[in-house]
Amino acid sequence: MANTFMGRREKARSMATTNPFLSLGVLFSTLLILSLLFCSENASAYEGGVRGETMESDPHQQHSHVIKISDLLPAPVCSTSTSTSTHEGNNNAQTMLKVVHKHGPCSKHSSKQKAKLPTPTQILLEDQSRVEMIQSRFANQVHGSKATTPTHSGRSLGTGNYIVTVGIGSPKRDFSLIFDTGSDLTWIQCEPCVAHCYKQQEPIFNPSKSSSYSNITCNAKECSSLKSATGNSPGCTSSTCVYGIQYGDQSYSVGYFGRETLTLTSSDVFNKFMFGCGQRNDGLFGYTAGLLGLGRNKISLISQTYQKYGGLFSYCLPSTSSSTGYLAFGYQGKISSNVKFTPLLVNTADPSFYFLDLIAISVGGKKLPISASVFATSGTIIDSGTVITRLPPTAYSTLRSSFRKLMSSYPMVSPISILDTCYNFTGYKTVKIPKIALYFRGGIPMDIDSSGVFFVRNIAQVCLAFAGNSDAGDIAILGNKQQQRLDVIYDVAKKRIGFGLGGCS
């Protein structure tokens, strides 16, 4: 039986006009100050086959991690990872970019932003804004009642943790970009900044000094495709297509929609890559130059490079902000047997996201008594930009109860924001924590690395890195904390996604 759920999509609508005589300045003002209109759409359905069967305990599983307290905090210096187990034999990926944490010592921005690093509470508040933005796009009906949703504009929050460096323009210049599977449009800041550009590490890109830059015209079909990628209708000025995107925390980028040469490596160069050349930008982007969109829309990087990479990309997120991971496109050779695949689903309410069929959770080697229908009601996406995994309220309360029982020998302390299961590890050299695994269609396990279990404020306040949604119909989100050190492989062509242990340090 096909896996379905009933829902209502509340899609952001911009008041930006497509009038070709509208000035860019008016469009800027319109995009920033006008509220959104929302529209309802019909019930949506997932692609996919039969849900997985009821899971039993794994007798072969080692049920706990023993971790050093010193490993809970990042080192003050960068430690580069060389482990890449996605493919049999290291470094077999066609194109591999180094991934670093935006706020860690491996980032070239770290020296500038030391005084402005967000507090753990701020990180969680920003994360909640992103989650609310995503969930507002899936205002599901549960038992006949509608979920309450915020009225944010634009797409999901563009303030992810992880960044890569790519080349843009001719001659090529390198820019550090946040990569985000929850966004489609790639954009960077561009000169001249009409009103405002935030501070970034590299010099702002000047399209007039690139021999390969060109604007996309208002009447081009590519211009009209912006609406599905940004949630806002495109504008037009002097026959040039103008985009506007505003995120859940009111961060935004507005500018020209153009084409440019994108260089990932010396042998991976893409001419006429469609991207946003931001003339007015502000928000929580750190010192990065913009955002790299890895969603499923036809203007995303994945779609635009499909002919070369076949819709296949993978990443490994580092275990701490002081270590590195990778983002890879395509592959050579055979994928490691360590990686297990589950179907990658599509929800017609918002096909840009990557959907999974979560069916069960285990704690300490035992499957929790949670009906698979609990996860089917909400649906689940995997997202590189959300930090903390969000679960249906019933699933989270069951997880929390089991985890607390197995951690009863450690003193609990007060919560941090949305995290309500926190411990004081002061005085301990090591701690023993139960392993957690998520199970997807076909019984495919995703064993969470020890680094993905806790969110650490300090040793005296270490919290379980999961949270419950407020409504059973709110979309569940697999966050990046739980993806740390895993090989995560997106195979769009074959409609599958894979997980493997020990991808990076």
Side-chain angles (χ1 to χ4, degrees), residues 310-391:
L312 190 143
F313 70 100
S314 59
Y315 56 71
C316 181
L317 305 180
S319 58
T320 71
S321 61
S322 57
S323 53
T324 64
Y326 70 83
L327 170 64
F329 300 95
Y331 64 85
Q332 295 174 344
K334 186 178 179 181
I335 293 177
S336 170
S337 58
N338 177 49
V339 178
K340 304 300 181 183
F341 285 93
T342 186
L344 184 61
L345 310 177
V346 173
N347 184 306
T348 56
D350 207 318
S352 289
F353 283 114
Y354 296 95
F355 279 82
L356 303 172
D357 192 4
L358 178 62
I359 60 173
I361 301 174
S362 70
V363 178
K366 294 184 178 180
K367 296 303 186 314
L368 301 179
I370 307 170
S371 170
S373 63
V374 170
F375 303 109
T377 297
S378 65
T380 304
I381 65 169
I382 181 171
D383 182 38
S384 69
T386 297
V387 179
I388 303 299
T389 289
R390 302 310 204 277
L391 296 172

Side-chain angles (χ1 to χ4, degrees), residues 406-460:
L406 293 173
M407 291 286 290
S408 59
S409 61
Y410 299 102
M412 293 190 68
V413 292
S414 59
I416 305 175
S417 184
I418 59 172
L419 305 181
D420 61 6
T421 300
C422 303
Y423 299 90
N424 182 355
F425 291 148
T426 302
Y428 292 90
K429 292 184 179 180
T430 62
V431 292
K432 184 178 181 181
I433 63 174
K435 287 187 175 181
I436 299 176
L438 307 180
Y439 291 82
F440 299 95
R441 181 183 298 184
I444 300 302
M446 189 191 88
D447 297 308
I448 296 172
D449 185 77
S450 59
S451 65
V453 175
F454 287 125
F455 180 88
V456 182
R457 182 174 188 175
N458 52 50
I459 296 303

Side-chain angles (χ1 to χ4, degrees), residues 467-487:
N469 286 328
S470 59
D471 191 282
D474 290 338
I475 198 79
I477 304 173
L478 176 54
N480 61 46
K481 186 66 179 173
Q482 283 66 44
Q483 298 175 51
Q484 287 180 177
R485 294 196 68 213
L486 300 179
D487 287 317

Side-chain angles (χ1 to χ4, degrees), residues 21-205:
F21 301 103
L22 179 66
S23 70
L24 185 60
V26 172
L27 180 65
F28 289 156
S29 300
T30 303
L31 287 169
L32 297 178
I33 66 175
L34 292 183
S35 61
L36 302 171
L37 298 177
F38 291 88
C39 65
S40 297
E41 292 189 358
N42 293 330
S44 59
Y46 289 130
E47 288 182 352
V50 179
R51 295 180 61 84
E53 65 279 358
T54 302
M55 308 297 298
E56 300 296 335
S57 296
D58 294 337
H60 64 279
Q61 185 179 14
Q62 295 181 358
H63 303 324
S64 61
H65 299 284
V66 177
I67 58 176
K68 296 179 180 179
I69 293 299
S70 58
D71 291 340
L72 290 174
L73 298 175
V77 295
C78 179
S79 174
T80 301
S81 170
T82 58
S83 174
T84 55
S85 61
T86 300
H87 313 290
E88 293 184 351
N90 285 343
N91 299 318
N92 276 335
Q94 285 185 337
T95 302
M96 185 172 290
L97 307 177
K98 183 170 71 173
V99 168
V100 300
H101 195 283
K102 184 170 60 175
H103 300 305
C106 296
S107 168
K108 58 186 175 182
H109 312 143
S110 60
S111 60
K112 285 193 173 184
Q113 59 186 12
K114 282 183 178 179
K116 297 182 179 180
L117 290 178
T119 66
T121 299
Q122 288 173 330
I123 291 172
L124 293 173
L125 288 174
E126 292 169 12
D127 196 47
Q128 186 61 24
S129 292
R130 179 185 179 97
V131 168
E132 289 175 357
M133 179 63 251
I134 292 173
Q135 291 178 343
S136 73
R137 294 161 65 176
F138 299 95
N140 298 337
Q141 293 181 356
V142 182
H143 302 302
S145 62
K146 296 179 181 179
T148 302
T149 58
T151 56
H152 291 315
S153 61
R155 311 311 267 173
S156 55
L157 186 66
T159 54
N161 301 104
Y162 299 99
I163 60 178
V164 293
T165 298
V166 302
I168 295 176
S170 302
K172 175 183 76 72
R173 287 184 49 203
D174 289 336
F175 295 95
S176 54
L177 305 180
I178 299 166
F179 77 88
D180 187 3
T181 60
S183 297
D184 295 302
L185 177 69
T186 295
W187 61 266
I188 63 171
Q189 296 197 110
C190 289
E191 294 285 5
C193 289
V194 174
H196 178 76
C197 279
Y198 59 85
K199 292 182 180 180
Q200 66 179 57
Q201 174 75 22
E202 303 96 353
I204 294 175
F205 180 66

Side-chain angles (χ1 to χ4, degrees), residues 215-232:
N215 287 324
I216 293 174
T217 61
C218 300
N219 58 3
K221 62 180 181 180
E222 292 84 359
C223 184
S224 60
S225 69
L226 277 171
K227 189 173 183 180
S228 62
T230 66
N232 294 322

